[in-house]
Amino acid sequence: MTAQLKELFNTEAKKYYLLENRNFIVNEDNKSFLNIFCKYFSQDPDFETSHKGELRKGLFVFGSQGTGKTSSFKIMQNVSKEYSLKQVWTPIVYTQKVVEQFNLAESGKTDYVIQYFSKGKFMFDDLGAEKEASNFGKEDIFGRIMELRYNQFLQKGTKTFVTSNLNFEDIKNRYGTRLYDRFYQMFNVLELGGESKRF
Ligand SMILES: Nc1ncnc2c1ncn2[C@@H]1O[C@H](COP(=O)(O)OP(=O)(O)OP(=O)(O)O)[C@@H](O)[C@H]1O
Ligand SMILES: [Mg+2]
């Protein structure tokens, strides 16, 4: 199953990067990440045995700018669409967009925005890059969203996916120790390192 998903991912990655006039680069920086990423999405037991991960948790993918984090999730979305693989479908939302929706909400309706993003599967792109929300007072709303999602994870097994330039120490500094501690329980942490592939 992993071998098949890898092949589909490879095909879609080539198509994806071709639209940017680029070849799909696989090198020492991303090889093992891509391998584990595909294992996770094919629910390969090897993800738990060899990689000490847990398939019931979500994924926290971190690394510096331009290493291919967002693209990897977008490619997996394309795999899901192209081959009708519902189990690998993950809606992607940009964290700053969530903050903007919150800021634009009428007073008294901001809770709907928080509630909406607290339920169901989501990939939050670029956690930590969003500005503080500003709607009759300033607030780091992802602290609240993530805590609600943690409760959903415990109650229903709801999975959360994240890409970020922050590591867990940085998460602690921005959102506090309460969330930092919860993150260990709800995420498998994967690093996608290396130099930026942007040019
Ligand atoms: N494996 C790859 N092969 C070819 N190009 C790549 C690859 N990974 C990334 N790139 C290039 O780098 C660009 C940035 O990738 P992406 O947006 O996925 O990075 P990111 O890790 O999400 O960065 P950031 O942390 O800044 O959000 C892509 O648009 C693409 O041009
Ligand atoms: Mg990104």
Side-chain angles (χ1 to χ4, degrees), residues 17 20 22-23 25 66-71 165 197-198:
Y17 291 115
E20 299 183 354
R22 321 195 38 146
N23 292 317
I25 304 163
T67 57
K69 300 177 292 298
T70 304
S71 306
N165 293 139
K197 290 184 172 64
R198 288 201 180 94

Side-chain angles (χ1 to χ4, degrees), residues 115-196:
Q115 290 301 328
Y116 181 82
F117 292 105
S118 299
K119 298 191 187 95
K121 199 197 267 181
F122 276 114
M123 189 285 245
F124 296 106
D125 194 27
D126 239 342
L127 182 70
E130 80 283 2
K131 295 198 181 83
E132 262 192 311
S134 170
N135 191 330
F136 296 95
K138 288 200 172 267
E139 188 193 351
D140 238 343
I141 56 168
F142 269 93
R144 222 181 336 147
I145 292 172
M146 288 299 178
E147 185 156 343
L148 290 167
R149 295 191 66 85
Y150 171 81
N151 297 337
Q152 291 284 312
F153 168 71
L154 293 185
Q155 286 164 20
K156 299 187 177 159
T158 304
K159 285 181 182 139
T160 304
F161 299 86
V162 161
T163 75
S164 186
N165 293 139
L166 308 183
N167 61 31
F168 269 25
E169 277 307 305
D170 303 324
I171 289 287
K172 182 161 73 179
N173 291 334
R174 172 139 184 192
Y175 303 101
T177 49
R178 236 180 112 74
L179 202 62
Y180 164 77
D181 201 48
R182 281 162 175 68
F183 270 24
Y184 277 104
Q185 201 178 338
M186 64 197 281
F187 291 116
N188 295 289
V189 184
L190 302 182
E191 182 171 12
L192 180 48
E195 303 276 296
S196 175

Side-chain angles (χ1 to χ4, degrees), residues 25-38:
I25 304 163
V26 180
N27 59 22
E28 287 311 309
D29 293 331
N30 63 0
K31 202 161 98 186
S32 83
F33 167 82
L34 292 171
N35 182 32
I36 297 170
F37 192 70
C38 287

Side-chain angles (χ1 to χ4, degrees), residues 45-55 57 187-189:
D46 202 44
F47 181 84
E48 304 205 323
T49 49
S50 307
H51 303 289
K52 305 260 178 283
E54 288 187 58
L55 293 167
K57 298 183 178 182
F187 291 116
N188 295 289
V189 184

Side-chain angles (χ1 to χ4, degrees), residues 3-16:
Q4 280 165 293
L5 187 66
K6 267 186 175 175
E7 203 164 305
L8 301 182
F9 185 93
N10 194 43
T11 306
E12 291 306 312
K14 281 181 188 157
K15 281 203 254 171
Y16 180 93

